[in-house]
Amino acid sequence: MMLDSVDFAAIWLTFKLASLTTALLLLIGTPLAWWLARTRSPLKGPLGAVVALPLVLPPTVLGFYLLTAMGPHGPVGELTQSLGLGLLPFTFAGLVVGSVFYSMPFVVQPLQNAFEAIGERPLEVAATLRASPWDTFFSVVLPLARPGFVTASILGFAHTVGEFGVVLMIGGNIPGVTRTVSVQIFDHVEAMEYPQAHWLAGGMLVFSFCVLLALYSSRRVKPGLN
């Protein structure tokens, strides 16, 4: 085995980051996706565009603005300092915040598509049975949208695992704190440690292929984010 304790620490940190980010995105993304799927507000377009920005925006640009916002003179940084939480950049918490923003469309869009595919009929039937909005959502919407939640969870987790630009901009390269697998591969290549880089890169390649194979073979999603 060509991997050492530093490599395994990066693997564990990446898994922890992806797991926490996916959980937070499901909590944040579910009501947001439901609103986007149901609203007729003129704000739907602009908000949907904001959610989708990470799909087209270079990761370094997103990372730069998040770093600025969370820095000592940024609005988020001033808020966290006033609350006694310190600064988020170059911490694991900062990585989580950046990952939530960067992976948001990979969770929100599949959920929005799943909610829109339900249609009006099941909701109207639930209303005629005098189900409350909460009962309708948990008893009707969530079961029908389960494939969307599976897709959103897998894509959100996998996308977070593969982050590099945002992670490097916000977290830097601190072993055991912000050094993820993608950053560790970069370090190995810079040090011309190609065997170690091959082990980590090959693992990422196999992981990515298995994720896509599981999604496509399930017939629950189409290529892309649908």
Side-chain angles (χ1 to χ4, degrees), residues 154-155 158-159 161-162 200-216:
I154 294 175
L155 288 179
H159 190 253
V161 167
L200 289 175
M204 293 281 285
L205 180 61
V206 171
F207 171 77
S208 300
F209 176 79
C210 290
V211 167
L212 293 175
L213 181 63
L215 286 175
Y216 291 161

Side-chain angles (χ1 to χ4, degrees), residues 89-91 95 166-174 178-179:
F90 309 109
T91 66
L95 284 189
V166 171
V167 166
L168 200 59
M169 289 290 290
I170 297 177
N173 188 1
I174 306 173
T178 61
R179 183 184 291 175

Side-chain angles (χ1 to χ4, degrees), residues 3 6-8 10-11 14 161-164 168 173 178-206 208:
L3 303 182
V6 178
D7 295 316
F8 285 112
I11 293 172
T14 303
V161 167
E163 289 179 19
F164 178 73
L168 200 59
N173 188 1
T178 61
R179 183 184 291 175
T180 60
V181 169
S182 58
V183 177
Q184 183 71 356
I185 293 173
F186 180 77
D187 286 348
H188 281 315
V189 173
E190 273 201 321
M192 299 189 72
E193 298 170 346
Y194 292 117
Q196 293 91 330
H198 274 303
W199 276 99
L200 289 175
M204 293 281 285
L205 180 61
V206 171
S208 300

